[in-house]
Amino acid sequence: MSCPICARKTDPTHRPFCSKRCADVDLARWLGGGYAIPSTDPDDVEEAILAAEAERAKLH
């Protein structure tokens, strides 16, 4: 298995990474939102509910 950050051989101590540095790079990406999935949902919960109800009304 190779490190998902740099593609070097995995070190069992830091699996699935090759080193603490690559593990820290991955953690920084998670904490910084680098792995966030883009969404088209409205930020406001009330807007999301209204949009869902409008779509549901179209189907019926």
Side-chain angles (χ1 to χ4, degrees), residues 1-54:
M1 177 177 207
S2 62
C3 176
I5 302 300
C6 70
R8 291 186 192 143
K9 186 177 176 185
T10 299
D11 179 350
T13 307
H14 303 287
R15 191 172 175 211
F17 307 103
C18 68
S19 65
K20 182 171 178 354
R21 179 196 170 278
C22 283
D24 289 344
V25 167
D26 183 70
L27 179 61
R29 288 181 183 172
W30 276 105
L31 295 176
Y35 292 135
I37 298 172
S39 173
T40 58
D41 291 340
D43 290 333
D44 187 18
V45 174
E46 291 174 6
E47 286 181 36
I49 292 169
L50 292 174
E53 288 174 349

Side-chain angles (χ1 to χ4, degrees), residues 51-60:
E53 288 174 349
E55 285 297 317
R56 185 175 181 210
K58 288 179 188 177
L59 297 175
H60 294 284

